[in-house]
Amino acid sequence: MREKSGSGRIELDKTDLAILKILQLDNKTPQRRIAEAVHLSAPAVQRRIKRMEETGVIAGNAALIDPAKVGRAITLFVEVQMESERAEMFDDAKRLFSSVPEVQQCYYVTGDVDFILIVVVRTMAEYEVLTRRLFFENPNVKRFRTLVCMDRIKAGLTVPLG
Amino acid sequence: MREKSGSGRIELDKTDLAILKILQLDNKTPQRRIAEAVHLSAPAVQRRIKRMEETGVIAGNAALIDPAKVGRAITLFVEVQMESERAEMFDDAKRLFSSVPEVQQCYYVTGDVDFILIVVVRTMAEYEVLTRRLFFENPNVKRFRTLVCMDRIKAGLTVPLG
DNA sequence: GGTGAAAATACTACCTG
DNA sequence: CAGGTAGTATTTTCACC
């Protein structure tokens, strides 16, 4: 394998991208159907998929769940600003945010904001408990701003390819 | 089927949630293995999965792709504030943002910000072209703020269950 | 990368409580 | 109506070219 993890770029040809495009929409698509779409045999497709999984291009295979349907109706965006910029403090924050299941996505960003969190909860009461634990009781957090999601226009989990 | 789409909540028992938890991590897990995990037979699991797909609890099945590995190294968060709050203008904005492949996720939020966009591009030059088209040349956009993602701590596409 | 056979898996019909 | 069983069809996977 060329590169198991790491952030380096992997060489992908047009066929690989075409396969990814299909798998991104529906990874249950039979290799047979993918094969005829990209003018290849099923095993050839299979080998390419395997390689992309090994190199980390395909990071995982997941069923996409509608949060509202499982009673997790509330999505929140939280911009977090930290007190200092010490590396150690960031590691702590990363570990903390990662460990919370309600924190669906967490990004470290530039600018006056340090972290952006996408949080999914059942109720606002649940979120308030969370804010206490993550922000108010966290001395490293200077400030945080919450934006409440009213509508998910595009649920995006797909990466634009090509 | 109880409810094909719509945002109503679906009745799910402990077993359904256990199945979802597994499929969210890896939807290629054989029904046989899921079955023994939840103490059921494979066809029973199969029927439950089918029902959850029909009711929209499972919205889709996707391969998760690492943007960096396909040359889409740059993730940006854009907060967009609109000029007015007319419904028609929002519909236009939704359509516009949805139609752009680089806009991976788009949410309508409350507060002084109206939309949050998560944009994935290859280069900053590509983003600049996009900003012109989406924001500068769009009279409905009052203001926008871009936050550049430095690190994706948690790539979250999973919904906390239970 | 293709071919063909083998193994694993998903699906269906039918039966049972 | 939900689950189990057994058989069938599909799909994945492997050896070989």
Side-chain angles (χ1 to χ4, degrees):
Chain A
M1 69 202 82
R2 290 206 184 87
E3 177 158 1
K4 184 121 193 169
S5 66
S7 54
R9 189 164 165 186
I10 307 292
E11 285 169 44
L12 301 170
D13 61 17
K14 291 283 174 199
T15 307
D16 288 321
L17 291 177
I19 293 171
L20 284 180
K21 232 171 208 164
I22 294 169
L23 293 180
Q24 200 166 229
L25 288 173
D26 180 11
N27 72 350
K28 295 262 194 98
T29 309
Q31 290 168 1
R32 192 213 171 291
R33 196 133 4 119
I34 300 172
E36 57 195 37
V38 302
H39 310 296
L40 238 61
S41 68
V45 169
Q46 143 95 323
R47 283 189 280 257
R48 280 167 179 268
I49 293 173
K50 187 162 186 252
R51 182 173 77 87
M52 292 193 283
E53 281 173 345
E54 284 172 352
T55 53
V57 174
I58 296 174
N61 288 290
L64 308 179
I65 295 165
D66 184 340
K69 292 275 173 64
V70 293
R72 299 271 180 162
I74 308 176
T75 298
L76 306 153
F77 297 84
V78 192
E79 299 175 0
V80 185
Q81 193 181 345
M82 307 305 276
E83 279 292 353
S84 70
E85 307 252 335
R86 286 177 301 109
E88 164 200 325
M89 180 271 294
F90 273 114
D91 291 341
D92 286 350
K94 285 182 185 182
R95 253 195 306 278
L96 175 61
F97 296 149
S98 295
S99 71
V100 178
E102 285 81 7
V103 177
Q104 226 198 306
Q105 301 177 47
C106 173
Y107 302 89
Y108 170 46
V109 299
T110 57
D112 38 303
V113 171
D114 292 309
F115 291 101
I116 289 183
L117 273 51
I118 300 184
V119 177
V120 178
V121 290
R122 258 183 287 259
T123 62
M124 274 313 229
E126 195 176 311
Y127 180 58
E128 289 194 10
V129 173
L130 209 60
T131 55
R132 218 164 342 131
R133 190 151 65 91
L134 293 180
F135 312 127
F136 290 118
E137 292 174 1
N138 186 339
N140 290 324
V141 172
K142 185 179 188 177
R143 206 179 64 80
F144 74 98
R145 179 166 79 135
T146 304
L147 300 166
V148 181
C149 175
M150 303 302 288
D151 194 5
R152 82 174 39 203
I153 315 301
K154 197 169 184 178
L157 316 105
T158 61
V159 177
L161 300 170
Chain B
M1 69 203 78
R2 289 205 183 91
E3 177 160 359
K4 184 121 194 170
S5 66
S7 54
R9 190 164 164 185
I10 308 292
E11 285 170 44
L12 300 170
D13 62 17
K14 291 283 174 198
T15 307
D16 287 321
L17 291 177
I19 293 170
L20 285 181
K21 232 171 209 166
I22 294 168
L23 293 180
Q24 200 167 230
L25 288 173
D26 181 9
N27 71 352
K28 297 255 200 107
T29 309
Q31 291 169 359
R32 194 213 171 291
R33 197 135 4 127
I34 300 172
E36 58 195 36
V38 302
H39 309 295
L40 238 63
S41 69
V45 169
Q46 142 98 322
R47 282 188 280 259
R48 281 168 179 266
I49 293 173
K50 187 163 186 248
R51 183 173 75 86
M52 291 193 284
E53 280 173 346
E54 283 171 353
T55 53
V57 174
I58 296 174
N61 289 288
L64 309 179
I65 294 164
D66 184 340
K69 293 275 173 65
V70 293
R72 298 274 179 162
I74 308 176
T75 299
L76 305 154
F77 296 84
V78 192
E79 300 175 0
V80 185
Q81 193 180 346
M82 306 303 276
E83 278 293 352
S84 71
E85 307 253 333
R86 285 176 302 109
E88 165 199 325
M89 180 272 296
F90 274 113
D91 291 340
D92 286 350
K94 285 183 186 182
R95 252 195 308 278
L96 176 61
F97 296 148
S98 295
S99 71
V100 179
E102 284 81 6
V103 176
Q104 226 198 304
Q105 303 177 45
C106 172
Y107 303 89
Y108 172 46
V109 298
T110 55
D112 39 303
V113 171
D114 292 309
F115 291 100
I116 290 182
L117 273 51
I118 301 183
V119 176
V120 178
V121 289
R122 258 181 287 258
T123 62
M124 274 312 230
E126 194 176 313
Y127 179 59
E128 292 197 349
V129 173
L130 207 60
T131 55
R132 220 168 333 140
R133 188 153 65 91
L134 293 179
F135 312 127
F136 290 118
E137 292 174 2
N138 186 339
N140 289 323
V141 171
K142 187 178 186 176
R143 207 178 64 80
F144 74 97
R145 179 166 79 134
T146 303
L147 300 166
V148 181
C149 175
M150 303 301 289
D151 194 6
R152 84 173 38 203
I153 315 299
K154 198 170 182 177
L157 318 104
T158 62
V159 177
L161 300 171

